[in-house]
Amino acid sequence: MAGLFESAGDGGAAIALEEVEASILRSFEVQMLELIGPGPGGESDDPLAALFAEGPSSPPADPALARLFPDAYGGPDGPAGPEEVAAAGEFRRYTELDLRARKRDDALAVIRSLDGLGGAGGVLKASPEDCRHWLGGLNDLRLTLGTRLEVSEDDDEGLYDLDDEDPRKPLVMAYLWFGMLQESLLEAMAG
């Protein structure tokens, strides 16, 4: 898997993907959509209902979702006292649905651009707006995989030394590849 983003000028980027690479990316983004779930009350098109919808006031129980939708107050272990818990709950109640919608939009944009390749490999060209969605989508994939793999800053070096028989190896390879894609996309957008 060697496809990395290159500058396409004007803040856009391009990447040559083999069919298997496009398939892997698409599969992970579809799984991300399933993890994030539908919007409030399903996929309603009623803008008034969406305007008045309120999100949850407590963090998700799933550690990966808690990483994607962290508390706004407190440290890495969450809010410390009752006042921080209340403030974090209020903040989450009014912001999580929008954050979920943005993450769904990012994943859908990546899927649609991959679908534009027609199920085969090829060169994918991303506009500056598409690049923003790709950055968000890749970041969410890395956060989720990192949480599932229990990656910490101290462990990062050990990821390169896994035995081929280690069942985590395919996910670790995807995690590292998504990081390379993300880094190359940032460089392509800047250059």
Side-chain angles (χ1 to χ4, degrees):
M1 293 186 204
L4 296 176
F5 284 96
E6 296 177 8
S7 177
D10 298 328
I15 184 170
L17 292 170
E18 294 179 14
E19 183 177 348
V20 69
E21 292 171 323
S23 176
I24 290 169
L25 278 165
R26 189 181 192 291
S27 175
F28 272 97
E29 289 294 356
V30 167
Q31 291 176 56
M32 180 59 62
L33 284 174
E34 292 170 359
L35 179 66
I36 293 169
E43 294 295 331
S44 172
D45 289 330
D46 182 0
L48 188 59
L51 182 64
F52 290 106
E54 292 182 3
S57 59
S58 57
D62 182 331
L65 284 173
R67 182 69 176 106
L68 291 173
F69 307 107
D71 280 318
Y73 298 96
D77 297 325
E83 289 178 8
E84 281 185 347
V85 169
E90 275 301 291
F91 187 83
R92 179 179 299 284
R93 191 169 134 213
Y94 293 112
T95 60
E96 186 171 313
L97 293 181
D98 287 339
L99 185 56
R100 281 182 184 265
R102 193 190 85 226
K103 290 180 181 302
R104 270 192 303 278
D105 289 346
D106 290 344
L108 281 170
V110 171
I111 291 168
R112 287 184 185 119
S113 62
L114 291 167
D115 287 349
L117 294 175
V123 176
L124 185 144
K125 295 182 181 176
S127 69
E129 179 66 17
D130 292 335
C131 288
R132 186 194 66 75
H133 288 298
W134 270 85
L135 280 175
L138 289 169
N139 187 58
D140 292 342
L141 290 176
R142 287 194 75 240
L143 288 174
T144 301
L145 280 176
T147 301
R148 295 280 191 243
L149 293 167
E150 298 178 352
V151 173
S152 69
E153 290 179 29
D154 301 332
D155 290 339
D156 215 11
E157 292 300 318
L159 295 177
Y160 295 96
D161 299 327
L162 290 178
D163 292 332
D164 288 341
E165 286 77 34
D166 192 316
R168 299 173 300 160
K169 182 124 185 190
L171 291 179
V172 167
M173 290 176 61
Y175 172 81
L176 296 172
W177 182 48
F178 295 155
M180 290 187 304
L181 287 176
Q182 192 174 20
E183 184 177 342
S184 71
L185 180 54
L186 283 169
E187 290 172 3
M189 291 171 68

